[in-house]
Each structure stands twice: as C-alpha cells, then as structure tokens.
Amino acid sequence: MSDFLSNFNKSNYDDTKEKKLREDTDKQEATQQESTSSPSNKPFGESKSEPQTRFGPVNVAEPKVDSSSASFETEQAATSQTRRSQTEDGTEIDPTYHKKRKQKFLLIGMGTFVALCILYFGYYQMTHVALPDFSGKDLAKARTWATENKVKLKVDQTYSKKIEANKVISQKSKKGSKIKKGAELTVESSMGADPEEKLKLPDFMTMKKSEAEKWIKDNKAENISLIDEYSDSLEKGKAARFEIVNKEVTKENYKRKDKANIYYSKGKETFEKNISVPDFTKKMKTEVESWAKTNDIKVTYEEASSAEIPVESIISQSIAKDQKVAKKDSITVTVSLGKGYTVPNFAEYKQEEAATAVEGLTVQAKSVFTNNVAYGQLISQSVEAGTQLTSKDELKVNVYYSAGQPYLKDLRGSTLEGDLQKQFYEEFQSKGANIKYTVRYVDSAEPKGTVVGMSAYNLYVPLDYTVSLDISLGNLAGASNYTPKSPSENGTEKESESKSISQK
C-alpha cells in the first residue's frame, strides 16, 4: 500500500481519471452502437457503418485538448458521481475533491479582494480627511485646521452685516465630506459691515444711552464710541454732546468708517477730602508739580521776588500744612524769582552816576540833543521808576540825558573831506540830531580835500539842519590867500563854477 501511495501523484491521478473517463465513454458508445445496430430500431433506408474491432467499437480520434480543458471536463464528470468509484488498480477517487478545490480558489479570491479593499481603504483614509463645518466659526480656526491637515485654504472675502468680521460665512465642500490632502478648500469669509456705507444718524441728544447702544449694534457702527464724563450741569445719563472726529464729515454724509463720540453725563463728581497738604515752603516748584499731578490737584502759581528764598522755590502757599483737600481742589503757591531790583528815578542821578546807581542792574546812559530840555537833564528811561525787576526780566535799563542844542563848529582849514562822515555821525547823528552836509568843490591853493568854506559855523542849529561845505580842488599855485565867504555870499555863487554832492 505504501508503494502505491508513493507512486500516486497528481499526474497519475489525472491519467487514472482520463482512463476511467475513456472506459466509461467506450462502454456508453458500445451500448449505443448495439442498440442502433438492431434492424427493428433502424429507420427505413438508413444505414450506418461504424468501424468495429474485435474488442468493440473504435473510438474516433478527437482533437487534442490542453490539460486545463481536460481537467475542467474531468472535474465535471467527477462531480456527477454520487459515490466513490474504484479503478482497475484499486485506487479510490474522492468525487468531491474538485468541488473542494473550487471552493478553495473561491475563498482565496475572496480573501484577496477583501485584502485589496482593506489596503485601498487604508490608503484612502491616509490621504483624505473629513471636512468639519466652519460656518460661523473664526477664520483663524479654518486656517489652523488647513495647516495641520495639509489642505490649501482659499478665502473669498465679502462684506456682511449679519456675520461679524473674520468669521466664515460658508464653505464650498459640505461638512463630513472627504477632501484629499493637498487639495484646495474654498471658504467665504466676512469682512464685517461695509465701511463705505452711508448711515442715517438719529438725534442722539434725545436718546438714552441704552437706545444709542442698540442703534450702534443694529447698524454695526463700531466707530461710534460712548463716553461717560462728569458734568456739573447735566444729570446722570443725559446726552451731553455728539462729535464727529473728522471736521469735514457731517451728519448728512456720515459713513460707517467715520469716527464719532457721544458723551453722556455721569453727574457731578464729588471727592472726599482725604489728601493731606505738605509744607512746600522753601521747596522746589517741581516738587509741588509732582504732588499736584499725583493727587489731581489744581495749582495756581504766583511769582514774587525774595532775597531769602532761592529762585524757583516756594515762598508761601494758600492752604496750610496738614490740612485736607480732595481731588480737583485748588491751591495757590507763590514761587520765588530771586532777589528783586527796584528801578530808581534816574533824574536824581547825573549821567556819570547812572551806570552804578543800582548794583545788579545794567544801566546804559546816553546823551541826546534836544531843543527844549536843558543840558544834563534826564529826558527818559526805558523802565519806569519804582518797577521791580527779577530774574525772569531783562536786568537792563537805558537812560537818556539831554546834550542841549546842537552846536556847529568852524571846520575850515582843519578838517579833510575824508573825516567828514565820521565827524558828523559822532558829533550829531549818534546823539539824535539829524545834521547833514553838502559839498561843493572849488578852485583853491589849499591842499586838495581841505574844507575852505562853510555856509554856517560857530552857532547853534536845529535838530534837522543841512550845512554847505566848500572843498578845495588844490588846483591853484602859490600861497593860499583864500578868504571864507559869508553864508550870503555862498548862496549867490554860480553853479557853473562848482560841483555839488549831497552827503548824509
């Protein structure tokens, strides 16, 4: 039996099945031939000649088929058996083998299909993500989700009064749908209400604060602010005023983007007197300013000179030390300007004494010509007598004394033309007298440029006066015997004989 089993393999099994199939086929054909060879069973005129051998009918040669076709036919024949068959050599064949084998292949195929489905499902799950519903949520949340799941986010922005700014209005793909990583998700985001939209403003002065808040909320007018402030004249809750920040914008052309403020009264502000006043005497002004700013106290500063208190230090205060004050209360302090200087009456001083009359003051004393004030008398002073000057003032006083009436000296023979401008300025014009001169050039043996004649000399003249001077041309030979002309003679000199030049 062991030898039989060792010699039994798939090829022997197939050969045995084919041999048995041929034998069964031969038996069936022999049976059919015997039945057809009987005369009683033959139709009239029909004859059939079958090749015969002594062993039975000869099998007609059939086309050779491949092993797979033979196996399929063999399996069909085997499955039609309802019991086991025994071959001539005693081998038993299980007629359900092919059915089991077919079931095996079917199970393998189904398993492979299920495995492929699982692999595809896993790949799909790895490359796709479920889409949440972003409607009504912050745009930032959609951006975060897109970044974490490697999805490109496209944002279409639009104005909306119903949806606040940076909120998602809608999305192109539905909630729960799968989107492939790397794909693009389009969402529509709100930019809030249109800032360019014109708004018809109500009369806020007749509205309560709660009504104004509701109007602002309903109209998305976030640029209108409600401000509470204290008022001594309006009761609490009353509208005080409405102001548009941009002065070029009016109520008629107001847009949502324009800023405006509505002020409401908080009533009169009252404070408890719980702030103790320090002693500021001889302390610096900056210390008072710091204390007042910290405690919200109004300070009025007055100034006065003081020889004992340094500059910018406190001389006195209106509220005594340790007294209590409240916020918004007022206090007055006097600040030292340092040592004061009283301007004297310089009429009591001579011009030579004025410069040193008051130590610390700079006094400039100057003489000026006058027509009606005696020589040496005070004409005026720049700062009135009795004025108190301090460090914040210019410690300088100009004092003017009379030089009397201008006196015109004889300039003949001793003055050259080049010295005239300086001499007339220093002598007359610097002291307030507008004394001018004109020049005539005349023939003379005197050196060129020498004054050889004057229309007036050695006399008092008015504050506004012009004198005529004769200047030598130095073109005559010999000793000079020129006799100065009188003013009347100078007036009759021919213009053709002289050249006149005006000098100021």
Side-chain angles (χ1 to χ4, degrees), residues 63-99:
K64 188 176 180 181
V65 295
D66 55 16
S67 59
S68 61
S69 300
S71 298
F72 178 73
E73 293 175 355
T74 305
E75 289 175 2
Q76 284 185 331
T79 53
S80 62
Q81 301 296 328
T82 58
R83 61 182 181 83
R84 293 180 179 272
S85 300
Q86 186 174 3
T87 59
E88 293 178 354
D89 56 1
T91 301
E92 292 184 357
I93 299 174
D94 186 359
T96 64
Y97 170 79
H98 295 288
K99 183 177 180 181

Side-chain angles (χ1 to χ4, degrees), residues 379-448:
I379 299 174
S380 66
Q381 59 187 68
S382 61
V383 181
E384 186 179 355
T387 302
Q388 194 82 5
L389 297 180
T390 61
S391 58
K392 73 173 184 177
D393 300 313
E394 184 180 10
L395 301 178
K396 180 180 178 181
V397 180
N398 295 322
V399 182
Y400 300 94
Y401 289 92
S402 174
Q405 191 174 358
Y407 184 80
L408 188 60
K409 297 178 181 180
D410 187 1
L411 302 177
R412 294 175 301 171
S414 62
T415 303
L416 295 177
E417 181 184 10
D419 298 329
L420 291 175
Q421 295 185 40
K422 179 180 178 182
Q423 188 168 348
F424 270 77
Y425 174 78
E426 292 179 349
E427 184 71 22
F428 302 110
Q429 295 168 3
S430 65
K431 297 179 182 179
N434 188 25
I435 307 299
K436 298 178 289 185
Y437 65 92
T438 61
V439 174
R440 292 188 306 173
Y441 294 97
V442 297
D443 297 329
S444 173
E446 295 294 328
K448 183 180 180 180

Side-chain angles (χ1 to χ4, degrees), residues 238-284:
K238 288 287 186 180
R241 63 189 184 278
F242 173 75
E243 293 179 353
I244 299 176
V245 176
N246 188 348
K247 301 303 180 182
E248 297 179 359
V249 179
T250 63
K251 289 185 178 181
E252 289 70 26
N253 60 8
Y254 178 84
K255 296 180 180 179
R256 186 177 279 110
K257 67 178 182 180
D258 298 322
K259 291 186 177 181
N261 298 320
I262 308 174
Y263 294 88
Y264 284 89
S265 172
K266 293 197 295 183
K268 189 174 182 179
E269 186 177 18
T270 57
F271 299 100
E272 181 183 357
K273 290 183 178 294
N274 57 358
I275 302 172
S276 180
V277 178
D279 183 8
F280 293 115
T281 305
K282 295 184 179 181
K283 293 183 179 179
M284 295 296 292

Side-chain angles (χ1 to χ4, degrees), residues 98-368:
H98 295 288
K99 183 177 180 181
K100 291 179 180 179
R101 188 179 183 193
K102 184 176 180 180
Q103 290 177 347
K104 179 181 179 181
F105 285 129
L106 182 61
L107 292 174
I108 292 173
M110 291 179 65
T112 303
F113 176 75
V114 171
L116 290 175
C117 289
I118 293 174
L119 289 174
Y120 176 77
F121 179 77
Y123 171 78
Y124 185 85
Q125 289 294 107
M126 291 175 62
T127 58
H128 290 71
V129 290
L131 185 64
D133 184 9
F134 295 111
S135 299
K137 297 180 180 178
D138 291 335
L139 180 61
K141 189 172 184 179
R143 293 187 187 278
T144 302
W145 180 89
T147 302
E148 292 175 350
N149 292 277
K150 299 179 181 180
V151 174
K152 298 177 183 178
L153 185 67
K154 179 183 177 183
V155 180
D156 295 332
Q157 294 184 316
T158 184
Y159 291 114
S160 174
K161 286 182 65 175
K162 297 181 179 179
I163 307 298
E164 61 184 276
N166 297 319
K167 293 284 188 181
V168 178
I169 300 174
S170 63
Q171 60 193 55
K172 189 173 182 180
S173 301
K174 294 182 179 179
K175 171 188 175 182
S177 62
K178 294 285 187 175
I179 184 171
K180 188 176 181 181
K181 293 183 178 181
E184 184 177 81
L185 171 63
T186 301
V187 298
E188 185 179 17
S189 172
S190 172
M191 294 191 294
D194 186 0
E196 296 295 332
E197 182 183 356
K198 285 187 178 182
L199 298 180
K200 184 177 180 181
L201 297 177
D203 185 5
F204 290 111
M205 296 299 97
T206 61
M207 297 173 65
K208 296 180 180 178
K209 186 176 180 181
S210 58
E211 295 173 340
E213 289 175 342
K214 184 178 184 304
W215 185 92
I216 291 172
K217 182 178 180 181
D218 293 342
N219 291 272
K220 304 294 182 182
E222 286 83 3
N223 284 320
I224 298 180
S225 302
L226 302 180
I227 302 174
D228 293 323
E229 62 180 10
Y230 289 104
S231 174
D232 295 335
S233 57
L234 293 175
E235 62 182 83
K236 185 177 180 180
K238 288 287 186 180
R241 63 189 184 278
F242 173 75
E243 293 179 353
I244 299 176
V245 176
N246 188 348
K247 301 303 180 182
E248 297 179 359
V249 179
T250 63
K251 289 185 178 181
E252 289 70 26
N253 60 8
Y254 178 84
K255 296 180 180 179
R256 186 177 279 110
K257 67 178 182 180
D258 298 322
K259 291 186 177 181
N261 298 320
I262 308 174
Y263 294 88
Y264 284 89
S265 172
K266 293 197 295 183
K268 189 174 182 179
E269 186 177 18
T270 57
F271 299 100
E272 181 183 357
K273 290 183 178 294
N274 57 358
I275 302 172
S276 180
V277 178
D279 183 8
F280 293 115
T281 305
K282 295 184 179 181
K283 293 183 179 179
M284 295 296 292
K285 179 182 177 182
T286 53
E287 189 171 338
V288 180
E289 293 173 337
S290 177
W291 174 83
K293 183 177 180 180
T294 302
N295 295 280
D296 198 11
I297 303 296
K298 297 177 181 179
V299 181
T300 301
Y301 296 98
E302 295 180 351
E303 296 176 326
S305 60
S306 173
E308 295 79 20
I309 306 299
V311 177
E312 291 292 304
S313 296
I314 306 303
I315 298 174
S316 62
Q317 59 195 66
S318 61
I319 300 177
K321 171 188 175 183
D322 295 333
Q323 286 193 13
K324 300 291 184 179
V325 294
K327 284 185 177 182
K328 304 297 184 181
D329 280 355
S330 298
I331 183 174
T332 301
V333 297
T334 303
V335 182
S336 173
L337 295 173
K339 183 179 179 180
Y341 302 92
T342 303
V343 178
N345 182 3
F346 284 96
E348 301 174 357
Y349 296 86
K350 295 181 180 180
Q351 182 175 350
E352 296 79 11
E353 301 171 341
T356 58
V358 180
E359 184 179 358
L361 286 182
T362 301
V363 180
Q364 291 184 347
K366 186 177 181 181
S367 296
V368 295

